[in-house]
Amino acid sequence: MDVVRAMPLLTVADLDAALDKYVQVTGMEVVMNHGWIATLAPSGDSAAQLSLITTDPTGPVNPSASIEVDDVDAAYRAAMDAELEIVYEITNEEWGARRFFFRDADGNVVNVLSHL
């Protein structure tokens, strides 16, 4: 299993207002916006990304980070083997991702996903 990308997720109350400020301050551009989550990246470079989220529509909590992997099922098995708390069971989402959430020993919730 390989990591494709990793990004922080910041919870915001007003996505549009937050996007305006983050674009203004960082110069990044919006590369994805689903209305409840949006991702910013520098122009022409998707290696550095930041996502802003209001409320996850299917998960029970907002994660604080997302890690995209090439094999989410292998990551899920590894999380189970590591005896991590699975906060959101592995699921195929309507927006084209297969994902699960785990909580680490310090309470951080991480979204692990692969695109379908």
Side-chain angles (χ1 to χ4, degrees), residues 76 79-80 84-90 100-103:
Y76 181 79
M80 296 294 288
L84 289 167
E85 177 189 354
I86 303 301
V87 177
Y88 184 62
E89 286 295 330
I90 196 159
F100 72 94
F101 297 178
F102 72 82
R103 186 184 324 270

Side-chain angles (χ1 to χ4, degrees), residues 45-114:
D45 178 15
S46 62
Q49 295 186 342
L50 169 69
S51 287
L52 306 175
I53 184 171
T54 54
T55 302
D56 192 294
T58 58
V61 297
N62 283 352
S64 57
S66 280
I67 301 173
E68 182 180 353
V69 296
D70 64 350
D71 187 344
V72 72
D73 292 291
Y76 181 79
R77 288 189 300 274
M80 296 294 288
D81 290 346
E83 299 181 353
L84 289 167
E85 177 189 354
I86 303 301
V87 177
Y88 184 62
E89 286 295 330
I90 196 159
T91 304
N92 290 340
E93 303 290 5
E94 66 182 28
W95 55 87
R98 180 168 173 78
R99 68 185 186 147
F100 72 94
F101 297 178
F102 72 82
R103 186 184 324 270
D104 69 17
D106 295 302
N108 299 298
V109 175
V110 177
N111 172 41
V112 182
L113 71 130
S114 290

